[in-house]
PDB file of all heavy atoms in Angstrom:
ATOM      1  N   LEU C 271       0.762  -1.247   0.001  1.00  0.00           N
ATOM      2  CA  LEU C 271       0.006  -0.068   0.045  1.00  0.00           C
ATOM      3  C   LEU C 271       0.852   1.285  -0.051  1.00  0.00           C
ATOM      4  O   LEU C 271       0.321   2.358  -0.410  1.00  0.00           O
ATOM      5  CB  LEU C 271      -0.938   0.019   1.241  1.00  0.00           C
ATOM      6  CG  LEU C 271      -1.935  -1.131   1.191  1.00  0.00           C
ATOM      7  CD1 LEU C 271      -2.750  -1.144   2.563  1.00  0.00           C
ATOM      8  CD2 LEU C 271      -2.891  -1.077   0.061  1.00  0.00           C
ATOM      9  N   LYS C 272       2.132   1.067   0.411  1.00  0.00           N
ATOM     10  CA  LYS C 272       3.066   2.216   0.477  1.00  0.00           C
ATOM     11  C   LYS C 272       2.553   3.498   1.179  1.00  0.00           C
ATOM     12  O   LYS C 272       2.485   4.577   0.534  1.00  0.00           O
ATOM     13  CB  LYS C 272       3.494   2.626  -0.986  1.00  0.00           C
ATOM     14  CG  LYS C 272       4.169   1.407  -1.669  1.00  0.00           C
ATOM     15  CD  LYS C 272       4.632   1.840  -3.076  1.00  0.00           C
ATOM     16  CE  LYS C 272       5.444   0.758  -3.760  1.00  0.00           C
ATOM     17  NZ  LYS C 272       4.725  -0.513  -3.865  1.00  0.00           N
ATOM     18  N   PRO C 273       2.063   3.446   2.307  1.00  0.00           N
ATOM     19  CA  PRO C 273       1.493   4.660   3.016  1.00  0.00           C
ATOM     20  C   PRO C 273       2.653   5.501   3.539  1.00  0.00           C
ATOM     21  O   PRO C 273       3.744   5.071   3.661  1.00  0.00           O
ATOM     22  CB  PRO C 273       0.664   4.004   4.162  1.00  0.00           C
ATOM     23  CG  PRO C 273       1.397   2.815   4.541  1.00  0.00           C
ATOM     24  CD  PRO C 273       1.909   2.318   3.257  1.00  0.00           C
ATOM     25  N   GLN C 274       2.254   6.819   3.740  1.00  0.00           N
ATOM     26  CA  GLN C 274       3.167   7.585   4.454  1.00  0.00           C
ATOM     27  C   GLN C 274       3.395   7.109   5.856  1.00  0.00           C
ATOM     28  O   GLN C 274       2.437   6.874   6.525  1.00  0.00           O
ATOM     29  CB  GLN C 274       2.663   9.115   4.569  1.00  0.00           C
ATOM     30  CG  GLN C 274       2.537   9.828   3.288  1.00  0.00           C
ATOM     31  CD  GLN C 274       2.147  11.197   3.295  1.00  0.00           C
ATOM     32  OE1 GLN C 274       2.010  11.764   4.499  1.00  0.00           O
ATOM     33  NE2 GLN C 274       1.647  11.772   2.239  1.00  0.00           N
ATOM     34  N   GLY C 275       4.634   6.976   6.227  1.00  0.00           N
ATOM     35  CA  GLY C 275       4.841   6.403   7.562  1.00  0.00           C
ATOM     36  C   GLY C 275       5.205   4.944   7.507  1.00  0.00           C
ATOM     37  O   GLY C 275       5.521   4.337   8.627  1.00  0.00           O
ATOM     38  N   GLY C 276       4.942   4.296   6.349  1.00  0.00           N
ATOM     39  CA  GLY C 276       5.301   2.925   6.277  1.00  0.00           C
ATOM     40  C   GLY C 276       4.619   2.019   7.270  1.00  0.00           C
ATOM     41  O   GLY C 276       3.460   2.115   7.555  1.00  0.00           O
ATOM     42  N   VAL C 277       5.440   0.993   7.701  1.00  0.00           N
ATOM     43  CA  VAL C 277       4.909   0.075   8.624  1.00  0.00           C
ATOM     44  C   VAL C 277       4.394   0.542   9.969  1.00  0.00           C
ATOM     45  O   VAL C 277       3.430   0.065  10.549  1.00  0.00           O
ATOM     46  CB  VAL C 277       5.982  -1.139   8.854  1.00  0.00           C
ATOM     47  CG1 VAL C 277       7.015  -0.548   9.756  1.00  0.00           C
ATOM     48  CG2 VAL C 277       5.400  -2.358   9.483  1.00  0.00           C
ATOM     49  N   ASN C 278       4.894   1.739  10.305  1.00  0.00           N
ATOM     50  CA  ASN C 278       4.465   2.359  11.571  1.00  0.00           C
ATOM     51  C   ASN C 278       3.103   2.861  11.434  1.00  0.00           C
ATOM     52  O   ASN C 278       2.269   2.832  12.402  1.00  0.00           O
ATOM     53  CB  ASN C 278       5.392   3.486  11.983  1.00  0.00           C
ATOM     54  CG  ASN C 278       6.675   3.023  12.517  1.00  0.00           C
ATOM     55  OD1 ASN C 278       6.752   1.939  13.079  1.00  0.00           O
ATOM     56  ND2 ASN C 278       7.794   3.702  12.242  1.00  0.00           N
ATOM     57  N   PHE C 279       2.686   3.309  10.239  1.00  0.00           N
ATOM     58  CA  PHE C 279       1.290   3.738   9.947  1.00  0.00           C
ATOM     59  C   PHE C 279       0.333   2.586   9.907  1.00  0.00           C
ATOM     60  O   PHE C 279      -0.702   2.648  10.483  1.00  0.00           O
ATOM     61  CB  PHE C 279       1.235   4.566   8.627  1.00  0.00           C
ATOM     62  CG  PHE C 279      -0.173   4.937   8.299  1.00  0.00           C
ATOM     63  CD1 PHE C 279      -0.743   6.091   8.866  1.00  0.00           C
ATOM     64  CD2 PHE C 279      -0.857   4.350   7.291  1.00  0.00           C
ATOM     65  CE1 PHE C 279      -2.046   6.405   8.594  1.00  0.00           C
ATOM     66  CE2 PHE C 279      -2.109   4.660   6.928  1.00  0.00           C
ATOM     67  CZ  PHE C 279      -2.849   5.791   7.632  1.00  0.00           C
ATOM     68  N   ILE C 280       0.804   1.423   9.333  1.00  0.00           N
ATOM     69  CA  ILE C 280       0.005   0.286   9.208  1.00  0.00           C
ATOM     70  C   ILE C 280      -0.382  -0.233  10.700  1.00  0.00           C
ATOM     71  O   ILE C 280      -1.391  -0.683  11.000  1.00  0.00           O
ATOM     72  CB  ILE C 280       0.688  -0.962   8.547  1.00  0.00           C
ATOM     73  CG1 ILE C 280       0.911  -0.527   7.035  1.00  0.00           C
ATOM     74  CG2 ILE C 280      -0.006  -2.177   8.621  1.00  0.00           C
ATOM     75  CD1 ILE C 280      -0.383  -0.286   6.242  1.00  0.00           C
ATOM     76  N   ARG C 281       0.626  -0.045  11.672  1.00  0.00           N
ATOM     77  CA  ARG C 281       0.420  -0.489  13.061  1.00  0.00           C
ATOM     78  C   ARG C 281      -0.622   0.341  13.813  1.00  0.00           C
ATOM     79  O   ARG C 281      -1.058  -0.059  14.880  1.00  0.00           O
ATOM     80  CB  ARG C 281       1.757  -0.526  13.751  1.00  0.00           C
ATOM     81  CG  ARG C 281       2.707  -1.490  13.271  1.00  0.00           C
ATOM     82  CD  ARG C 281       4.097  -1.355  13.860  1.00  0.00           C
ATOM     83  NE  ARG C 281       5.072  -2.513  13.418  1.00  0.00           N
ATOM     84  CZ  ARG C 281       6.303  -2.415  13.562  1.00  0.00           C
ATOM     85  NH1 ARG C 281       6.948  -1.413  14.013  1.00  0.00           N
ATOM     86  NH2 ARG C 281       7.054  -3.527  13.173  1.00  0.00           N
ATOM     87  N   THR C 282      -0.918   1.470  13.202  1.00  0.00           N
ATOM     88  CA  THR C 282      -2.042   2.300  13.894  1.00  0.00           C
ATOM     89  C   THR C 282      -3.518   1.699  13.636  1.00  0.00           C
ATOM     90  O   THR C 282      -4.397   2.173  14.360  1.00  0.00           O
ATOM     91  CB  THR C 282      -2.000   3.708  13.421  1.00  0.00           C
ATOM     92  OG1 THR C 282      -2.369   3.787  12.000  1.00  0.00           O
ATOM     93  CG2 THR C 282      -0.512   4.321  13.481  1.00  0.00           C
ATOM     94  N   PHE C 283      -3.608   0.756  12.756  1.00  0.00           N
ATOM     95  CA  PHE C 283      -4.866   0.188  12.521  1.00  0.00           C
ATOM     96  C   PHE C 283      -5.111  -0.937  13.585  1.00  0.00           C
ATOM     97  O   PHE C 283      -4.313  -1.698  13.836  1.00  0.00           O
ATOM     98  CB  PHE C 283      -5.054  -0.343  11.129  1.00  0.00           C
ATOM     99  CG  PHE C 283      -5.051   0.535  10.040  1.00  0.00           C
ATOM    100  CD1 PHE C 283      -3.808   1.220   9.555  1.00  0.00           C
ATOM    101  CD2 PHE C 283      -6.147   0.721   9.334  1.00  0.00           C
ATOM    102  CE1 PHE C 283      -3.912   2.156   8.544  1.00  0.00           C
ATOM    103  CE2 PHE C 283      -6.263   1.668   8.231  1.00  0.00           C
ATOM    104  CZ  PHE C 283      -5.056   2.352   7.923  1.00  0.00           C
ATOM    105  N   LYS C 284      -6.318  -0.726  14.235  1.00  0.00           N
ATOM    106  CA  LYS C 284      -6.729  -1.826  15.232  1.00  0.00           C
ATOM    107  C   LYS C 284      -8.043  -2.489  14.737  1.00  0.00           C
ATOM    108  O   LYS C 284      -8.970  -1.896  14.368  1.00  0.00           O
ATOM    109  CB  LYS C 284      -6.955  -1.082  16.621  1.00  0.00           C
ATOM    110  CG  LYS C 284      -5.726  -0.172  17.075  1.00  0.00           C
ATOM    111  CD  LYS C 284      -4.516  -1.089  17.379  1.00  0.00           C
ATOM    112  CE  LYS C 284      -3.315  -0.244  17.794  1.00  0.00           C
ATOM    113  NZ  LYS C 284      -2.154  -1.009  17.967  1.00  0.00           N
ATOM    114  N   LYS C 285      -7.919  -3.740  14.904  1.00  0.00           N
ATOM    115  CA  LYS C 285      -9.038  -4.703  14.551  1.00  0.00           C
ATOM    116  C   LYS C 285     -10.205  -4.507  15.576  1.00  0.00           C
ATOM    117  O   LYS C 285     -10.005  -4.532  16.757  1.00  0.00           O
ATOM    118  CB  LYS C 285      -8.664  -6.078  14.531  1.00  0.00           C
ATOM    119  CG  LYS C 285      -9.777  -7.045  13.925  1.00  0.00           C
ATOM    120  CD  LYS C 285      -9.209  -8.467  13.679  1.00  0.00           C
ATOM    121  CE  LYS C 285     -10.414  -9.367  13.282  1.00  0.00           C
ATOM    122  NZ  LYS C 285     -10.880  -9.024  11.902  1.00  0.00           N
ATOM    123  N   GLN C 286     -11.362  -4.196  15.066  1.00  0.00           N
ATOM    124  CA  GLN C 286     -12.562  -4.014  15.920  1.00  0.00           C
ATOM    125  C   GLN C 286     -13.116  -5.323  16.386  1.00  0.00           C
ATOM    126  O   GLN C 286     -13.039  -6.341  15.760  1.00  0.00           O
ATOM    127  CB  GLN C 286     -13.672  -3.188  15.248  1.00  0.00           C
ATOM    128  CG  GLN C 286     -13.164  -1.815  14.745  1.00  0.00           C
ATOM    129  CD  GLN C 286     -12.632  -0.915  15.844  1.00  0.00           C
ATOM    130  OE1 GLN C 286     -13.361  -0.712  16.828  1.00  0.00           O
ATOM    131  NE2 GLN C 286     -11.463  -0.404  15.721  1.00  0.00           N
ATOM    132  N   ALA C 287     -13.757  -5.233  17.603  1.00  0.00           N
ATOM    133  CA  ALA C 287     -14.361  -6.498  18.163  1.00  0.00           C
ATOM    134  C   ALA C 287     -15.563  -6.834  17.366  1.00  0.00           C
ATOM    135  O   ALA C 287     -15.866  -8.042  17.231  1.00  0.00           O
ATOM    136  CB  ALA C 287     -14.762  -6.212  19.591  1.00  0.00           C
ATOM    137  N   GLU C 288     -16.280  -5.912  16.757  1.00  0.00           N
ATOM    138  CA  GLU C 288     -17.546  -6.177  16.008  1.00  0.00           C
ATOM    139  C   GLU C 288     -17.087  -6.118  14.493  1.00  0.00           C
ATOM    140  O   GLU C 288     -16.209  -5.411  14.086  1.00  0.00           O
ATOM    141  CB  GLU C 288     -18.556  -5.230  16.244  1.00  0.00           C
ATOM    142  CG  GLU C 288     -19.144  -5.406  17.691  1.00  0.00           C
ATOM    143  CD  GLU C 288     -20.287  -4.399  17.950  1.00  0.00           C
ATOM    144  OE1 GLU C 288     -20.263  -3.296  17.386  1.00  0.00           O
ATOM    145  OE2 GLU C 288     -21.247  -4.816  18.581  1.00  0.00           O
ATOM    146  N   ASP C 289     -17.924  -6.922  13.659  1.00  0.00           N
ATOM    147  CA  ASP C 289     -17.713  -6.879  12.217  1.00  0.00           C
ATOM    148  C   ASP C 289     -18.210  -5.484  11.649  1.00  0.00           C
ATOM    149  O   ASP C 289     -19.457  -5.211  11.710  1.00  0.00           O
ATOM    150  CB  ASP C 289     -18.484  -8.030  11.604  1.00  0.00           C
ATOM    151  CG  ASP C 289     -18.182  -8.112  10.118  1.00  0.00           C
ATOM    152  OD1 ASP C 289     -17.606  -7.239   9.495  1.00  0.00           O
ATOM    153  OD2 ASP C 289     -18.657  -9.145   9.459  1.00  0.00           O
ATOM    154  N   GLN C 290     -17.347  -4.644  11.231  1.00  0.00           N
ATOM    155  CA  GLN C 290     -17.695  -3.347  10.682  1.00  0.00           C
ATOM    156  C   GLN C 290     -18.405  -3.415   9.357  1.00  0.00           C
ATOM    157  O   GLN C 290     -19.022  -2.331   8.929  1.00  0.00           O
ATOM    158  CB  GLN C 290     -16.496  -2.392  10.711  1.00  0.00           C
ATOM    159  CG  GLN C 290     -15.885  -2.163  12.064  1.00  0.00           C
ATOM    160  CD  GLN C 290     -16.907  -1.719  13.002  1.00  0.00           C
ATOM    161  OE1 GLN C 290     -17.523  -0.584  12.837  1.00  0.00           O
ATOM    162  NE2 GLN C 290     -17.148  -2.467  14.167  1.00  0.00           N
ATOM    163  N   ALA C 291     -18.440  -4.502   8.655  1.00  0.00           N
ATOM    164  CA  ALA C 291     -19.230  -4.604   7.456  1.00  0.00           C
ATOM    165  C   ALA C 291     -20.813  -4.694   7.890  1.00  0.00           C
ATOM    166  O   ALA C 291     -21.641  -4.450   7.045  1.00  0.00           O
ATOM    167  CB  ALA C 291     -18.920  -5.919   6.716  1.00  0.00           C
ATOM    168  N   VAL C 292     -21.015  -5.029   9.113  1.00  0.00           N
ATOM    169  CA  VAL C 292     -22.439  -5.131   9.569  1.00  0.00           C
ATOM    170  C   VAL C 292     -22.801  -3.968  10.569  1.00  0.00           C
ATOM    171  O   VAL C 292     -23.854  -3.344  10.423  1.00  0.00           O
ATOM    172  CB  VAL C 292     -22.706  -6.443  10.309  1.00  0.00           C
ATOM    173  CG1 VAL C 292     -24.107  -6.587  10.892  1.00  0.00           C
ATOM    174  CG2 VAL C 292     -22.440  -7.533   9.316  1.00  0.00           C
ATOM    175  N   ASN C 293     -21.898  -3.731  11.521  1.00  0.00           N
ATOM    176  CA  ASN C 293     -22.077  -2.711  12.515  1.00  0.00           C
ATOM    177  C   ASN C 293     -21.248  -1.487  12.241  1.00  0.00           C
ATOM    178  O   ASN C 293     -20.011  -1.445  12.379  1.00  0.00           O
ATOM    179  CB  ASN C 293     -21.608  -3.282  13.937  1.00  0.00           C
ATOM    180  CG  ASN C 293     -22.520  -4.476  14.313  1.00  0.00           C
ATOM    181  OD1 ASN C 293     -23.718  -4.373  14.544  1.00  0.00           O
ATOM    182  ND2 ASN C 293     -21.831  -5.662  14.173  1.00  0.00           N
ATOM    183  N   LEU C 294     -21.857  -0.410  11.840  1.00  0.00           N
ATOM    184  CA  LEU C 294     -21.181   0.823  11.517  1.00  0.00           C
ATOM    185  C   LEU C 294     -20.660   1.525  12.753  1.00  0.00           C
ATOM    186  O   LEU C 294     -21.296   1.429  13.900  1.00  0.00           O
ATOM    187  CB  LEU C 294     -22.114   1.843  10.766  1.00  0.00           C
ATOM    188  CG  LEU C 294     -22.613   1.318   9.432  1.00  0.00           C
ATOM    189  CD1 LEU C 294     -23.594   2.407   8.858  1.00  0.00           C
ATOM    190  CD2 LEU C 294     -21.476   1.186   8.436  1.00  0.00           C
ATOM    191  N   PRO C 295     -19.577   2.273  12.704  1.00  0.00           N
ATOM    192  CA  PRO C 295     -18.931   2.914  13.828  1.00  0.00           C
ATOM    193  C   PRO C 295     -19.971   3.938  14.433  1.00  0.00           C
ATOM    194  O   PRO C 295     -20.698   4.591  13.700  1.00  0.00           O
ATOM    195  CB  PRO C 295     -17.666   3.587  13.298  1.00  0.00           C
ATOM    196  CG  PRO C 295     -17.426   2.878  12.021  1.00  0.00           C
ATOM    197  CD  PRO C 295     -18.683   2.405  11.540  1.00  0.00           C
ATOM    198  N   SER C 296     -19.962   4.094  15.742  1.00  0.00           N
ATOM    199  CA  SER C 296     -20.837   5.033  16.409  1.00  0.00           C
ATOM    200  C   SER C 296     -20.458   6.519  16.104  1.00  0.00           C
ATOM    201  O   SER C 296     -21.256   7.361  16.056  1.00  0.00           O
ATOM    202  CB  SER C 296     -20.803   4.844  17.974  1.00  0.00           C
ATOM    203  OG  SER C 296     -19.529   4.872  18.403  1.00  0.00           O
ATOM    204  N   ASN C 297     -19.121   6.722  15.766  1.00  0.00           N
ATOM    205  CA  ASN C 297     -18.659   8.101  15.483  1.00  0.00           C
ATOM    206  C   ASN C 297     -18.402   8.151  13.947  1.00  0.00           C
ATOM    207  O   ASN C 297     -17.446   8.792  13.499  1.00  0.00           O
ATOM    208  CB  ASN C 297     -17.316   8.373  16.203  1.00  0.00           C
ATOM    209  CG  ASN C 297     -16.189   7.369  15.849  1.00  0.00           C
ATOM    210  OD1 ASN C 297     -16.522   6.177  15.286  1.00  0.00           O
ATOM    211  ND2 ASN C 297     -15.004   7.775  16.034  1.00  0.00           N
ATOM    212  N   LEU C 298     -19.349   7.732  13.163  1.00  0.00           N
ATOM    213  CA  LEU C 298     -19.201   7.742  11.782  1.00  0.00           C
ATOM    214  C   LEU C 298     -19.075   9.048  11.157  1.00  0.00           C
ATOM    215  O   LEU C 298     -18.287   9.266  10.224  1.00  0.00           O
ATOM    216  CB  LEU C 298     -20.343   6.866  11.061  1.00  0.00           C
ATOM    217  CG  LEU C 298     -20.359   6.736   9.590  1.00  0.00           C
ATOM    218  CD1 LEU C 298     -19.189   5.899   9.093  1.00  0.00           C
ATOM    219  CD2 LEU C 298     -21.616   6.093   9.048  1.00  0.00           C
ATOM    220  N   ASP C 299     -19.839   9.983  11.731  1.00  0.00           N
ATOM    221  CA  ASP C 299     -19.801  11.375  11.294  1.00  0.00           C
ATOM    222  C   ASP C 299     -18.508  11.995  11.504  1.00  0.00           C
ATOM    223  O   ASP C 299     -18.087  12.876  10.566  1.00  0.00           O
ATOM    224  CB  ASP C 299     -20.891  12.280  11.974  1.00  0.00           C
ATOM    225  CG  ASP C 299     -22.308  11.883  11.526  1.00  0.00           C
ATOM    226  OD1 ASP C 299     -22.461  11.214  10.535  1.00  0.00           O
ATOM    227  OD2 ASP C 299     -23.219  12.115  12.335  1.00  0.00           O
ATOM    228  N   GLU C 300     -17.734  11.660  12.419  1.00  0.00           N
ATOM    229  CA  GLU C 300     -16.403  12.154  12.631  1.00  0.00           C
ATOM    230  C   GLU C 300     -15.376  11.590  11.701  1.00  0.00           C
ATOM    231  O   GLU C 300     -14.408  12.265  11.236  1.00  0.00           O
ATOM    232  CB  GLU C 300     -16.050  11.805  14.052  1.00  0.00           C
ATOM    233  CG  GLU C 300     -16.883  12.498  15.156  1.00  0.00           C
ATOM    234  CD  GLU C 300     -16.487  12.087  16.537  1.00  0.00           C
ATOM    235  OE1 GLU C 300     -15.387  11.528  16.746  1.00  0.00           O
ATOM    236  OE2 GLU C 300     -17.205  12.196  17.520  1.00  0.00           O
ATOM    237  N   LEU C 301     -15.518  10.290  11.306  1.00  0.00           N
ATOM    238  CA  LEU C 301     -14.733   9.607  10.480  1.00  0.00           C
ATOM    239  C   LEU C 301     -14.773   9.945   9.018  1.00  0.00           C
ATOM    240  O   LEU C 301     -13.784  10.064   8.335  1.00  0.00           O
ATOM    241  CB  LEU C 301     -14.837   7.982  10.569  1.00  0.00           C
ATOM    242  CG  LEU C 301     -14.706   7.452  12.163  1.00  0.00           C
ATOM    243  CD1 LEU C 301     -15.008   6.034  12.155  1.00  0.00           C
ATOM    244  CD2 LEU C 301     -13.134   7.749  12.566  1.00  0.00           C
ATOM    245  N   VAL C 302     -16.004  10.104   8.549  1.00  0.00           N
ATOM    246  CA  VAL C 302     -16.250  10.367   7.180  1.00  0.00           C
ATOM    247  C   VAL C 302     -16.632  11.855   6.884  1.00  0.00           C
ATOM    248  O   VAL C 302     -17.684  12.260   7.442  1.00  0.00           O
ATOM    249  CB  VAL C 302     -17.314   9.493   6.603  1.00  0.00           C
ATOM    250  CG1 VAL C 302     -17.601   9.706   5.118  1.00  0.00           C
ATOM    251  CG2 VAL C 302     -16.943   7.915   6.862  1.00  0.00           C
ATOM    252  N   GLN C 303     -15.788  12.517   6.191  1.00  0.00           N
ATOM    253  CA  GLN C 303     -16.101  13.886   5.960  1.00  0.00           C
ATOM    254  C   GLN C 303     -16.794  14.122   4.519  1.00  0.00           C
ATOM    255  O   GLN C 303     -17.526  15.096   4.365  1.00  0.00           O
ATOM    256  CB  GLN C 303     -14.812  14.696   5.951  1.00  0.00           C
ATOM    257  CG  GLN C 303     -14.251  14.986   7.221  1.00  0.00           C
ATOM    258  CD  GLN C 303     -13.488  13.845   7.770  1.00  0.00           C
ATOM    259  OE1 GLN C 303     -12.625  13.224   7.157  1.00  0.00           O
ATOM    260  NE2 GLN C 303     -13.759  13.450   9.111  1.00  0.00           N
ATOM    261  N   ASN C 304     -16.615  13.179   3.623  1.00  0.00           N
ATOM    262  CA  ASN C 304     -17.166  13.405   2.256  1.00  0.00           C
ATOM    263  C   ASN C 304     -17.455  12.026   1.617  1.00  0.00           C
ATOM    264  O   ASN C 304     -16.477  11.289   1.370  1.00  0.00           O
ATOM    265  CB  ASN C 304     -16.186  14.270   1.411  1.00  0.00           C
ATOM    266  CG  ASN C 304     -16.779  14.527  -0.006  1.00  0.00           C
ATOM    267  OD1 ASN C 304     -17.918  14.061  -0.342  1.00  0.00           O
ATOM    268  ND2 ASN C 304     -16.170  15.528  -0.732  1.00  0.00           N
ATOM    269  N   ALA C 305     -18.675  11.758   1.406  1.00  0.00           N
ATOM    270  CA  ALA C 305     -19.016  10.376   0.848  1.00  0.00           C
ATOM    271  C   ALA C 305     -19.728  10.525  -0.451  1.00  0.00           C
ATOM    272  O   ALA C 305     -20.449   9.714  -0.947  1.00  0.00           O
ATOM    273  CB  ALA C 305     -20.020   9.667   1.815  1.00  0.00           C
ATOM    274  N   THR C 306     -19.451  11.679  -1.150  1.00  0.00           N
ATOM    275  CA  THR C 306     -20.056  11.909  -2.470  1.00  0.00           C
ATOM    276  C   THR C 306     -19.149  11.309  -3.550  1.00  0.00           C
ATOM    277  O   THR C 306     -18.089  11.082  -3.388  1.00  0.00           O
ATOM    278  CB  THR C 306     -20.150  13.362  -2.809  1.00  0.00           C
ATOM    279  OG1 THR C 306     -18.817  13.913  -2.852  1.00  0.00           O
ATOM    280  CG2 THR C 306     -21.042  14.102  -1.764  1.00  0.00           C
ATOM    281  N   TYR C 307     -19.844  10.956  -4.715  1.00  0.00           N
ATOM    282  CA  TYR C 307     -19.176  10.411  -5.856  1.00  0.00           C
ATOM    283  C   TYR C 307     -19.954  10.778  -7.095  1.00  0.00           C
ATOM    284  O   TYR C 307     -21.152  11.123  -6.983  1.00  0.00           O
ATOM    285  CB  TYR C 307     -18.947   8.910  -5.722  1.00  0.00           C
ATOM    286  CG  TYR C 307     -20.220   8.132  -5.608  1.00  0.00           C
ATOM    287  CD1 TYR C 307     -20.982   7.719  -6.715  1.00  0.00           C
ATOM    288  CD2 TYR C 307     -20.832   7.823  -4.414  1.00  0.00           C
ATOM    289  CE1 TYR C 307     -22.158   6.987  -6.655  1.00  0.00           C
ATOM    290  CE2 TYR C 307     -22.020   7.172  -4.356  1.00  0.00           C
ATOM    291  CZ  TYR C 307     -22.630   6.783  -5.365  1.00  0.00           C
ATOM    292  OH  TYR C 307     -23.900   6.184  -5.316  1.00  0.00           O
ATOM    293  N   VAL C 308     -19.256  10.727  -8.296  1.00  0.00           N
ATOM    294  CA  VAL C 308     -19.893  11.051  -9.568  1.00  0.00           C
ATOM    295  C   VAL C 308     -20.502   9.792 -10.064  1.00  0.00           C
ATOM    296  O   VAL C 308     -20.006   8.670 -10.049  1.00  0.00           O
ATOM    297  CB  VAL C 308     -18.891  11.517 -10.470  1.00  0.00           C
ATOM    298  CG1 VAL C 308     -19.542  11.860 -11.822  1.00  0.00           C
ATOM    299  CG2 VAL C 308     -18.251  12.868  -9.992  1.00  0.00           C
ATOM    300  N   GLN C 309     -21.878   9.905 -10.431  1.00  0.00           N
ATOM    301  CA  GLN C 309     -22.563   8.694 -11.046  1.00  0.00           C
ATOM    302  C   GLN C 309     -21.885   8.218 -12.265  1.00  0.00           C
ATOM    303  O   GLN C 309     -21.502   9.071 -13.230  1.00  0.00           O
ATOM    304  CB  GLN C 309     -24.048   9.195 -11.379  1.00  0.00           C
ATOM    305  CG  GLN C 309     -24.882   8.101 -12.078  1.00  0.00           C
ATOM    306  CD  GLN C 309     -25.489   7.129 -10.998  1.00  0.00           C
ATOM    307  OE1 GLN C 309     -25.228   7.274  -9.782  1.00  0.00           O
ATOM    308  NE2 GLN C 309     -26.275   6.164 -11.558  1.00  0.00           N
ATOM    309  N   SER C 310     -21.654   6.909 -12.426  1.00  0.00           N
ATOM    310  CA  SER C 310     -21.049   6.393 -13.527  1.00  0.00           C
ATOM    311  C   SER C 310     -21.964   6.450 -14.701  1.00  0.00           C
ATOM    312  O   SER C 310     -23.174   6.518 -14.618  1.00  0.00           O
ATOM    313  CB  SER C 310     -20.712   4.936 -13.255  1.00  0.00           C
ATOM    314  OG  SER C 310     -19.776   4.797 -12.174  1.00  0.00           O
TER     315      SER C 310
END
């Protein structure tokens, strides 16, 4: 993925106890600032 910060940045990701494909984060508004996209 070649992120800024390399492997140290990858280590900041923490696996959630709940499956996030089913349970959305309670602070979703803080995490997502822009969810728009252009219609294909």
Side-chain angles (χ1 to χ4, degrees):
L271 299 174
K272 299 180 175 60
Q274 294 181 13
V277 72
N278 290 327
F279 178 74
I280 295 297
R281 289 171 179 164
T282 66
F283 288 77
K284 303 299 180 185
K285 187 173 178 62
Q286 302 299 311
E288 294 183 322
D289 185 352
Q290 296 307 301
V292 177
N293 301 290
L294 296 177
S296 57
N297 61 337
L298 184 62
D299 290 341
E300 299 173 17
L301 299 175
V302 178
Q303 285 79 48
N304 185 351
T306 61
Y307 58 89
V308 177
Q309 177 83 358
S310 302

